[in-house]
Amino acid sequence: MDYRREVDGLRALAVLPVMLFHAGFELAPGGFAGVDVFFVISGYLITSLILADLQAGTFRLGHFYERRARRILPALFAVMFLCLPFAWQWLPPHDLEEFAQSLIAVASFSSNVLFWRSSGYFDTAAELKPLLHTWSLAVEEQFYLLFPACLMLLWRWGRGTVMVVLVLLAVLSLTAAHLGAQASSLLRGGTVPPAVIEALPSASFYLLPTRAWELLIGSLVAFRLSRPGTLPGAGRLSQVLGLTGLAAITYALLAFDAHTAFPGLPALVPTLGTALVLLHAGPTTVAGRLLGQPLMVGIGLISYSAYLWHQPLMALARHRSPDEPGQALLAGLILLSLGLAWLTWRWIERPFRDRSLIPRKRLVVYASAASLWFAALGAFGVLGQGFAGRFDFKAAHEGEVGHLGFHRQIAEQFHACTPGEVAQAALYVEQYPRCAQSRRDGPVQVALVGDSHAEHLFPGLAEQMGHRNLAFYIRDSPAVLGNPDFDLIFHHVLVSPSIDTVLLTMRWAARQREIARPQTLESALARTVQALVEANKTVYLIADVPKFPFKAERCKFVPLETGQPLCEIEAARIHEIEKRYLPALQKVAARHPSLRLVELRDLFCEQETCSMSRNGTLLYRDNNHLNIAGSRYVGQALFKRFPELAR
């Protein structure tokens, strides 16, 4: 196939927003959609090559896989190799063990499965995974293990049959992707277990069956342009359609964010936009000339290596820094990624594509040896459980970090909610209790309501409650009227005459985005508090605990060269998050003199810094949930401030 400068420009348009997104710049909140652009481009280019060989009768699977190996493996393995010493030096044991798992997964092209099972793409913890971005390479390689053979089998029935099959497969894949991305709203309340519903969006994001449609769009573009006499960008209509495609991609990059249901129907915007560009942005069109600018083409040529480099650099910088790296440093890492990408393209990518320099047999030996070596190294890291001896382990920071241990202790120490209508209304059936009370017998007098940020306060409050019976009722949704989950709890639980006190809290900054419009957090909360006050309840609004940009485990291990735990961030970071929701709580509290507004910031923050630990004790189990020790710490502080809670 003929070289198209505009395709390299399109690669640049895809990779730069991905890098900006992973750096945390708000300039491209939908930068993750650049991966979708890459999928369409990849489907188009690879299918074009396969079609050319099929039409000439020269297609061979071995030759196809050799080309893919030359394109993908040398640069990938080089980046992985250069990450090793920094991972050994900087990653805490659990993170190093996860890194070791990813070495095995990358070597076996299954990293998308690994990251699907371990974390969501938009989770804060995902920012700390040096090889997270290899999930997209795994999707492509899994696709190309199956696609060429299927194309060969279908080819005997003609182009028309092949295209019909590809369209059907794309529609099925898109349907599955949309159902998975929207699982929480489409399936909740039915017979599907909640744990399955919670896993579906991540599976939809990472796995081949729900991503194949994007590659197939590129394949269909290749079929369209492979017709004799068909040229991209021929005619006046192409001027409009090429610019429309660019506008669609740009819209997705600027308007989408982590809350967009991906890769469901919204993903049609960047993918169909890419298809329009490939079909209509020829060298004579405005869109084609924009993409064909030398700088865009230059970045496009090194885009693969730039994509490989950016995530390890940013993840390792986040591990190294005691706080989230500043924007200047992250911008510098983007530039460094581009510089390393040029070196990798010049001295690794290009030589390995030259068969005269690296014959096929030598390539097979190199690739096989490297794959086995990385897999063995990964197995060694897993068996060594992250080699904790690299750090000065602080026994004082030991504590229950995991979620399961936290919920297990609640189940063992406290009591399931009393059977009956109250429990049925509040109980959210999962692998751990979502409704518990501090005393086995007697009516509930104090209700703790919200999401998991209400739950993590329960043990500490329950231990301080004395003879009064405290129960928590939580749902994974905003704790305000107008939300069906909370309405259920309000009408079946909170109106009970025995309950005289309601403690209301949640992840305020995150949940306010889920409140149904036209309500705002302030209006929804004001309505809720008013209803509780009219029901003769004493209401406490509890602000959120600080959210940290790193895992709790980081506080347990101290780098030997510094002797200081990396537990702290600047207090200004916490203030910025609080600005998103605290004014709304303060305004509601001002309208109701009887309402108590409880701010928790001072329990974790000094003047300049906020920390996950106090007096050598770790208080968190992840980056935003308290462990048992943290719950007790907050509970004791609250009862000192409000001793009437126990009376």
Side-chain angles (χ1 to χ4, degrees), residues 16 78 164 194 242 271 309 311 339 421 425 446 460 484 502 505 519 540 592 645:
L16 290 174
V164 168
T271 51
W309 276 113
Q311 175 65 16
E421 188 177 37
V446 183
V502 175
T505 188
Q519 292 188 113
Y540 291 75
H592 296 280
L645 278 171

Side-chain angles (χ1 to χ4, degrees), residues 514-536:
E514 303 172 24
I515 294 174
R517 295 181 179 181
Q519 292 188 113
T520 62
L521 173 61
E522 181 182 345
S523 64
L525 191 56
R527 179 185 169 204
T528 304
V529 169
Q530 182 64 37
L532 290 169
V533 171
E534 290 176 356
N536 297 316

Side-chain angles (χ1 to χ4, degrees), residues 134-181:
T134 60
W135 74 268
S136 62
L137 303 182
V139 168
E140 287 194 22
E141 293 311 310
Q142 290 162 13
F143 181 81
Y144 292 125
L145 281 174
L146 303 172
F147 182 70
C150 293
L151 211 55
M152 288 177 65
L153 292 173
L154 293 170
W155 189 250
R156 67 186 69 181
W157 283 285
R159 291 170 55 97
T161 300
V162 175
M163 292 186 69
V164 168
V165 172
L166 295 185
V167 168
L168 290 174
L169 289 174
V171 170
L172 289 172
S173 175
L174 174 59
T175 302
H178 183 69
L179 291 174

Side-chain angles (χ1 to χ4, degrees), residues 13-14 17-18 27-34 37 248-256:
L13 184 61
V18 172
L27 180 64
F32 56 88
V37 175
I249 296 170
T250 304
Y251 173 80
L253 298 175
L254 299 179
F256 291 175

Side-chain angles (χ1 to χ4, degrees), residues 77-89:
F77 287 161
V79 171
M80 291 168 64
F81 178 77
L82 291 172
C83 284
L84 294 175
F86 299 99
W88 175 265
Q89 185 72 15

Side-chain angles (χ1 to χ4, degrees), residues 211-228:
R211 286 291 188 171
W213 67 273
E214 297 178 308
L215 292 140
L216 290 171
I217 285 178
S219 298
L220 292 168
V221 170
F223 269 88
R224 177 70 180 85
L225 292 178
S226 68
R227 291 179 178 176

Side-chain angles (χ1 to χ4, degrees), residues 444-519:
V444 173
Q445 288 116 359
V446 183
L448 174 62
V449 187
D451 57 12
S452 60
H453 281 215
E455 180 185 34
H456 72 182
L457 297 179
F458 173 76
L461 293 173
E463 290 178 3
Q464 299 290 320
M465 195 56 67
H467 68 278
R468 284 168 57 83
N469 198 355
L470 167 73
F472 76 81
Y473 309 99
I474 71 166
R475 295 277 188 165
D476 190 22
S477 58
V480 292
L481 286 173
N483 169 46
D485 284 343
F486 183 81
D487 290 346
L488 185 69
I489 294 174
F490 181 87
H491 292 294
H492 289 275
V493 178
L494 301 184
V495 295
S496 171
S498 70
I499 295 177
D500 55 52
T501 303
V502 175
L503 312 177
L504 196 62
T505 188
M506 55 183 169
R507 294 179 63 184
W508 299 103
R511 294 296 180 199
Q512 64 181 336
R513 305 189 194 102
E514 303 172 24
I515 294 174
R517 295 181 179 181
Q519 292 188 113

